[in-house]
Amino acid sequence: MSKGNEQVWDKKIQQYHGGQEWKFLKNFVEDFSVTTNGLGAPVSAMEAAKNAVIECTHYPPANQEPAKSSLAKFLWPETWEEDNDRLLLGNGASELIDLIMRLAPKGTWKAGPFAAQYKEYERSATNNGYTIIDGGENDTKANVSCLVNPCNPTGDYMEVDEVLEWILNNVTSGGFAIIDESMQPWHSKDFRNHSLCFHKEKIQRLFSEMSISVYVIHSWTKLWSCTGLRLGSIVCPNTSAAMELKKIQVPWSVNLPALAFLDAATRDVDYLNRTWEVTPKWRKNTVELLNKHFPKWSCHGKEFLSWVWVDTGSTEVATRAVDIAKSAGVPVRSGVHGYKMPTFIRLAVRSEEKFKILLDAWVASGM
């Protein structure tokens, strides 16, 4: 871990996360270590957040409105009024992960079937006294099971019916299924039909027939590139479940600039259309050039994702790639910290011009 990261993270008690390197690089150009939108934040949302600072002498609205309703309209354009009460905003997905793990039935916890996934869920489960069951091919059901879909960092992806089958096979009756769909909206303009939170009747059937409560979590800081603001949401299986979460949530956990940002971002259709247009193109360019210059490397993940998960085939090569990227002012994420996959690196999808800086640094090094 770099000196900069050692200054930021307390390795004894905190879970490592990317996105800290840039502040310690005098030659910083672009952060490839985080999976944020390569377009940067929407201008309209940034302006709204700046304007909201003027009201910082006042408390944020306790009901999170109108931002919460705006997000409900974004998620459920036709049924947002009836579904709004199942939705709760949080100070990033991290706050909501902590809330749901405090409320969930105690006992066992397991991750999804992929080689690695976002570690904050496991950290929270451990802190709340759960017994951790290995995921992967393990068919043992748990009181709480968590699936990150699309999976960060591996890029694995399940369609709705596959997710439902996984829930049935991995969650005990009376248990919780927590599905993280933070990267789901990148899918396409048709992302809602591929999202579990858009299939309310299937979630309700799991609850009525199997007593399984399904919660869908989103971190909105990646899609709208606002990780510094902290914005997350959780869709609960029903209104009463949402009320139980709200009861233990601290008041005003989402500040005024963040609420204003979210309210504006959900209505910026042009920004989303541009995202769905350029991200697959930029990602395709990235993968093709990596394959050309480093044929021994293998690239993983769906074509719509905002990052590429790369197996260099060698711990030494991966370490060198991370060091070279940092020296060039374009840090990437190592697969070592948190994920314990030392031959892998993860790099965000960025414009062809910015990716060229990273690629040129690697090529010039003779890797």
Side-chain angles (χ1 to χ4, degrees), residues 332-362:
V332 300
R333 175 71 187 265
S334 167
V336 174
H337 308 300
Y339 301 129
K340 298 179 180 179
M341 300 182 72
T343 68
F344 283 81
I345 57 175
R346 190 192 68 191
L347 54 146
V349 170
R350 295 293 183 256
S351 69
E352 296 177 2
E353 293 78 15
K354 289 179 178 177
F355 174 64
K356 187 176 185 301
I357 299 171
L358 173 60
L359 182 68
D360 286 349
W362 281 340

Side-chain angles (χ1 to χ4, degrees), residues 103-125:
L103 186 68
K106 301 307 176 186
T108 54
W109 178 96
K110 71 183 297 187
F114 310 127
Q117 72 174 34
Y118 181 54
K119 297 292 287 184
E120 192 65 19
Y121 292 93
E122 183 175 341
R123 182 200 68 83
S124 186

Side-chain angles (χ1 to χ4, degrees), residues 68-84 86-87 188-195 197-200 220 235 266-267 269 272 276:
K68 189 164 83 76
S69 288
S70 294
L71 182 60
K73 292 174 185 177
F74 176 80
L75 291 172
W76 307 286
E78 297 179 359
T79 65
W80 70 271
E81 289 180 288
E82 63 185 73
D83 288 316
N84 196 7
R86 297 194 295 125
L87 180 66
S188 64
K189 292 181 181 180
D190 192 39
F191 77 90
R192 294 177 185 86
N193 286 328
H194 298 267
S195 167
C197 71
F198 201 62
H199 293 267
K200 180 171 65 174
W220 296 109
V235 177
T266 56
R267 290 181 276 109
V269 178
L272 287 173
W276 293 320

Side-chain angles (χ1 to χ4, degrees), residues 30-199:
E30 178 68 33
D31 194 352
F32 282 80
S33 74
V34 291
T35 57
T36 50
N37 196 322
L39 292 175
V43 174
S44 60
M46 287 291 288
E47 288 301 315
K50 292 176 184 177
N51 292 335
V53 174
I54 298 173
E55 300 179 1
C56 71
T57 55
H58 303 283
Y59 283 101
N63 63 359
Q64 305 176 332
E65 295 292 356
K68 189 164 83 76
S69 288
S70 294
L71 182 60
K73 292 174 185 177
F74 176 80
L75 291 172
W76 307 286
E78 297 179 359
T79 65
W80 70 271
E81 289 180 288
E82 63 185 73
D83 288 316
N84 196 7
D85 288 341
R86 297 194 295 125
L87 180 66
L88 190 67
L89 305 183
N91 188 259
S94 297
E95 182 202 4
L96 299 169
I97 293 168
D98 181 69
L99 282 178
I100 194 63
M101 291 309 302
R102 283 194 273 146
L103 186 68
K106 301 307 176 186
T108 54
W109 178 96
K110 71 183 297 187
F114 310 127
Q117 72 174 34
Y118 181 54
K119 297 292 287 184
E120 192 65 19
Y121 292 93
E122 183 175 341
R123 182 200 68 83
S124 186
T126 300
N127 286 348
N128 282 279
Y130 285 84
T131 299
I132 308 300
I133 300 175
D134 290 336
E137 299 301 320
N138 190 322
D139 59 1
T140 303
K141 292 186 177 182
N143 299 105
V144 182
S145 293
C146 173
L147 175 69
V148 179
N149 188 55
C151 183
N152 192 354
T154 67
D156 290 293
Y157 180 63
M158 291 183 182
E159 291 289 352
V160 170
D161 287 343
E162 294 176 290
V163 174
L164 292 169
E165 182 180 0
W166 180 86
I167 291 173
L168 286 171
N169 291 333
N170 290 278
V171 184
T172 61
S173 178
F176 279 21
I178 305 173
I179 312 300
D180 188 318
E181 289 193 350
S182 295
M183 313 310 289
Q184 176 65 39
W186 296 83
H187 184 283
S188 64
K189 292 181 181 180
D190 192 39
F191 77 90
R192 294 177 185 86
N193 286 328
H194 298 267
S195 167
L196 188 60
C197 71
F198 201 62
H199 293 267

